[in-house]
Amino acid sequence: MKNFIIILLTMSCSIVYGQDDWRDSLKVAREAYKNQDYGKALKYYESAQRKAPEDVNLSDEMGQSAYKAREFEKAEKIYQQNSSAETGSTTADKYHNLGNARMKQKNYQGAVDAYKEALRANPNDDATRYNLSEAIRNLKNQQKQQQQNQNQNQQNQGQNQQQGQNGQQQQQNQGQQQQGQNGQPQNQQGDPQSGNGEPQEQGKGQLPNQTVERELDKLAKKEAETKRRLNGAGKAGKPSKSGKDW
């Protein structure tokens, strides 16, 4: 019986200590937030949330600490997980804060969606309406810049492709030119005998020496034959100078 009582007292002390422990962490977190030490505040808020009872929700303070510590991605996750947990103005505030966290990350489309949800929960929130207009303006500028970048990339790709084609054409032309110089026909380079590009011709009225000699022999033979014929004709038919027929 005595041991049982000791066990109960130990358990009670543990429970009380655990409750005091998360409260202590919460106290340190709030004190750090007040002193603008947002990183320390976030650390102790997370510790307090892990140790706190299930019905204790410190997400709003955790999200604010993360946002102030410029941990926008973590703040977005905290707000997103808890944005639908409650209704009314609290829900509107969490969607508003979710939009702010997305704006800091230049997720303008996500910010627009969050601000719209905040206005659905609280249509009279002028601050959310102003932030929505800013998110829409930034989104249009972002889309315009993206389109310009895409057009520029396409233009650069087209120029690179054109330069590549021009380079290939230039190399091809140089190759053809080099091939023409190396493979030029012989008659275009000049006849080695004539020294020019035309076939060598012999002068008019000129004959080779052997041909001239043959022609002279023919003429001499014809002349000798003519003389013989003439001499033969004088003996047979021409009258004798003495008048005698003998």
Side-chain angles (χ1 to χ4, degrees):
M1 184 67 178
K2 183 178 179 179
N3 292 335
F4 179 73
I5 294 174
I6 294 174
I7 293 173
L8 288 177
L9 290 174
T10 303
M11 292 178 62
S12 299
C13 291
S14 299
I15 294 173
V16 172
Y17 176 77
Q19 292 177 349
D20 291 340
D21 187 29
W22 79 266
R23 290 182 186 276
D24 290 341
S25 297
L26 179 60
K27 182 179 179 180
V28 174
R30 288 174 176 173
E31 188 68 23
Y33 187 90
K34 182 179 179 180
N35 295 329
Q36 299 183 357
D37 191 352
Y38 303 116
K40 180 179 179 180
L42 176 60
K43 177 181 177 181
Y44 278 92
Y45 273 126
E46 291 175 336
S47 177
Q49 183 66 80
R50 288 192 299 267
K51 299 173 184 178
E54 294 181 358
D55 58 342
V56 176
N57 186 0
L58 301 175
S59 60
D60 185 61
E61 294 178 76
M62 289 170 57
Q64 291 291 340
S65 298
Y67 185 88
K68 293 288 187 178
R70 304 189 66 82
E71 296 189 31
F72 302 119
E73 185 176 356
K74 181 176 288 188
E76 178 186 2
K77 291 180 180 179
I78 294 172
Y79 290 132
Q80 192 169 13
Q81 290 172 357
N82 296 278
S83 58
S84 60
E86 302 178 29
T87 59
S89 60
T90 304
T91 301
D93 291 342
K94 288 185 177 180
Y95 274 114
H96 178 94
N97 292 334
L98 176 60
N100 289 348
R102 288 175 174 174
M103 283 282 286
K104 290 295 186 178
Q105 299 176 83
K106 298 183 179 181
N107 180 10
Y108 300 122
Q109 182 61 65
V112 168
D113 297 338
Y115 290 138
K116 287 181 178 180
E117 289 295 331
L119 288 175
R120 290 189 182 98
N122 184 14
N124 299 321
D125 191 342
D126 293 335
T128 301
R129 187 174 291 106
Y130 174 80
N131 288 0
L132 175 61
S133 65
E134 286 295 304
I136 292 174
R137 182 179 63 84
N138 289 331
L139 177 61
K140 290 181 179 179
N141 292 336
Q142 185 183 62
Q143 291 174 343
K144 182 179 179 180
Q145 185 64 41
Q146 290 174 350
Q147 184 63 41
Q148 291 177 351
N149 293 339
Q150 183 178 0
N151 294 339
Q152 185 64 37
N153 291 335
Q154 291 177 352
Q155 183 178 359
N156 293 338
Q157 291 177 358
Q159 291 178 351
N160 293 336
Q161 184 178 5
Q162 184 65 32
Q163 290 176 356
Q165 292 177 353
N166 293 339
Q168 292 178 355
Q169 184 65 35
Q170 184 177 5
Q171 292 178 356
Q172 184 177 2
N173 293 339
Q174 291 177 352
Q176 292 176 351
Q177 183 179 3
Q178 185 66 27
Q179 182 179 2
Q181 293 176 354
N182 295 335
Q184 190 174 9
Q186 182 67 26
N187 60 358
Q188 294 180 0
Q189 294 178 347
D191 193 327
Q193 295 180 357
S194 63
N196 54 43
E198 298 294 333
Q200 187 177 12
E201 295 183 357
Q202 295 177 354
K204 293 181 179 180
Q206 296 180 357
L207 294 176
N209 295 332
Q210 296 180 353
T211 303
V212 172
E213 292 178 358
R214 285 197 296 269
E215 292 296 329
L216 291 176
D217 291 340
K218 290 180 181 180
L219 291 175
K221 290 179 180 179
K222 288 181 179 180
E223 185 179 359
E225 184 178 356
T226 301
K227 288 180 178 181
R228 285 196 299 270
R229 285 200 301 269
L230 290 175
N231 292 332
K235 292 179 180 181
K238 187 177 181 178
S240 175
K241 292 181 180 182
S242 61
K244 294 181 181 179
D245 188 11
W246 53 279

